[in-house]
Amino acid sequence: MKKIVFFMMMVLACFVGFSGDTKCDASANIKFQATNVYLYNGQSVIEGNFYNEGDSGATVTTVKLSFTASDKAGNYVFSDSGLFSGVNAWVPAYGTTAWSFTINNSNTPGYAGTIKWHIDADVRFSY
């Protein structure tokens, strides 16, 4: 009987030890997804949304974008990049925030046709 009581006490002690304080930190996971890209003479406009897959809201501070645009047949049209600091866009937990970026470059061609694009975005944020 003493062995059973001792065993039960050990099991209980292990359970209490393993189930002690568990800390779960809230975190944001913010990304940018483009919805439209427009090429004007001297400007590239990239519209899209910041979306947060995390359980904590955060403010986007800096975004580095690079894109390549091609026509509907896949032929290269233009590529460019931009670094945007001081963005200051609040993105709530599990939410989205619409945003637009403009890259000024005198080499940007005007293009009115259908554009396909590939965008890489490095999004930095703070709590």
Side-chain angles (χ1 to χ4, degrees):
M1 182 70 165
K2 286 184 180 183
K3 288 183 181 181
I4 292 174
V5 171
F6 178 74
F7 177 75
M8 294 302 285
M9 293 300 286
M10 292 303 290
V11 169
L12 182 60
C14 287
F15 177 73
V16 170
F18 289 128
S19 67
D21 268 352
T22 56
K23 185 175 180 182
C24 205
D25 292 329
S27 65
N29 183 14
I30 300 174
K31 299 179 182 173
F32 180 76
Q33 181 171 359
T35 55
N36 285 304
V37 174
Y38 303 101
L39 298 178
Y40 303 112
N41 286 326
Q43 282 188 333
S44 302
V45 177
I46 302 155
E47 297 177 339
N49 296 298
F50 291 113
Y51 63 97
N52 187 352
E53 296 175 332
D55 58 359
S56 177
T59 300
V60 175
T61 57
T62 305
V63 178
K64 182 178 180 184
L65 289 175
S66 60
F67 77 94
T68 300
S70 57
D71 64 17
K72 66 180 179 181
N75 300 309
Y76 174 84
V77 174
F78 185 68
S79 62
D80 208 348
S81 63
L83 178 63
F84 303 89
S85 57
V87 175
N88 200 30
W90 172 255
V91 186
Y94 305 112
T96 61
T97 299
W99 208 261
S100 177
F101 295 98
T102 301
I103 301 172
N104 294 307
N105 180 339
S106 60
N107 295 322
T108 305
Y111 188 80
T114 301
I115 295 176
K116 295 180 181 181
W117 61 82
H118 173 79
I119 293 184
D120 289 313
D122 181 18
V123 178
R124 303 294 173 162
F125 52 89
S126 65
Y127 296 96

